[in-house]
Amino acid sequence: MEFWWNNMLTLQKVLFIVACATTLIMVIQIILMLVGAGSNGFEAADGDLVGGADFDGGSDIAQSDLGAFGMKLLGIRSIMAFLCIFSWVGYTCVYLMDWWWALLIGVGAGVAASLLVALLMTLVERTQTDGTTNIRRAIGCSAEVYLRIPAERSGTGKINVIVQEKMVEVNAVTDENEDIPTGAAVVVDSVVSDGLVVVKKQ
């Protein structure tokens, strides 16, 4: 074991450590999802797979889908997918070719993986946003902040909340005088529209 580790390049060691760490994080995410704790900041039941209404009208659907895809691409699961695939592919390729080729191939594989994850999340969210969820039933329910919510309605964040026995991702604003960070517990105070709620700290 020591011989194997000592004979690796520094780049391989770094890639191996990153690969193991990101793989562990992804395994933990899957376990949490399976035991029903998917709302702990790792997006929701299957990453961003759940269907908060991210658009206000039919004419905005295409623009909203593009925005949702961008949010998924910058989400935790997409970033973890990039790092995991990039590091494993790069680590393996260093054995087979020059290190810079290995890094280029690793980056390409990582980008492809993150794009695929973001696309799948967006597509599943779109199919699940069927209008059957009455977001007004979320009033008074506890939720968890997925994307930071700026103070005093100066911007929009996102929360994960269970509505009608289904985890949904919803845009959220707050009247609090301080930002509400990712992972914070909140309560849905009121509903502005099907895709936007007002929350307060729990």
Side-chain angles (χ1 to χ4, degrees):
M1 180 70 176
E2 183 178 353
F3 175 80
W4 162 75
W5 180 259
N6 290 335
N7 279 273
M8 284 197 298
L9 300 174
T10 301
L11 176 62
Q12 285 179 296
K13 292 179 180 178
V14 172
L15 290 174
F16 183 78
I17 292 172
V18 173
C20 290
T22 52
T23 300
L24 178 61
I25 292 173
M26 294 184 72
V27 169
I28 292 174
Q29 290 178 346
I30 293 173
I31 293 174
L32 291 173
M33 177 188 71
L34 293 177
V35 299
S39 62
N40 63 351
F42 292 124
E43 281 108 352
D46 196 8
D48 290 332
L49 300 186
V50 291
D54 282 335
F55 50 86
D56 296 324
S59 62
D60 296 329
I61 291 177
Q63 181 179 358
S64 176
D65 284 346
L66 182 61
F69 177 79
M71 297 300 292
K72 304 298 182 294
L73 190 59
L74 297 176
I76 293 175
R77 288 190 183 275
S78 293
I79 293 173
M80 287 297 104
F82 170 82
L83 291 175
C84 183
I85 300 302
F86 158 70
S87 51
W88 279 122
V89 171
Y91 166 78
T92 303
C93 288
V94 169
Y95 285 108
L96 307 174
M97 59 192 70
D98 292 333
W99 66 268
W100 53 274
W101 270 115
L103 286 183
L104 284 176
I105 293 175
V107 169
V111 169
S114 61
L115 288 172
L116 180 60
V117 169
L119 179 61
L120 289 175
M121 289 177 179
T122 304
L123 289 176
V124 174
E125 177 179 300
R126 187 175 178 182
T127 60
Q128 291 188 355
T129 306
D130 57 5
T132 60
T133 301
N134 183 358
I135 197 61
R136 296 189 180 280
R137 295 189 178 183
I139 295 176
C141 293
S142 297
E144 185 165 0
V145 178
Y146 163 49
L147 287 179
R148 180 183 62 85
I149 305 173
E152 299 178 341
R153 303 200 188 192
S154 58
T156 303
K158 286 182 180 289
I159 62 169
N160 289 323
V161 60
I162 296 178
V163 183
Q164 297 173 226
E165 300 182 352
K166 181 172 67 174
M167 183 70 68
V168 294
E169 179 186 293
V170 187
N171 293 325
V173 295
T174 184
D175 293 320
E176 303 279 355
N177 55 15
E178 294 181 352
D179 292 356
I180 304 179
T182 298
V186 295
V187 174
V188 179
D189 189 47
S190 61
V191 174
V192 177
S193 67
D194 286 342
L196 182 64
V197 299
V198 180
V199 300
K200 59 184 179 181
K201 293 179 180 178
Q202 190 168 18

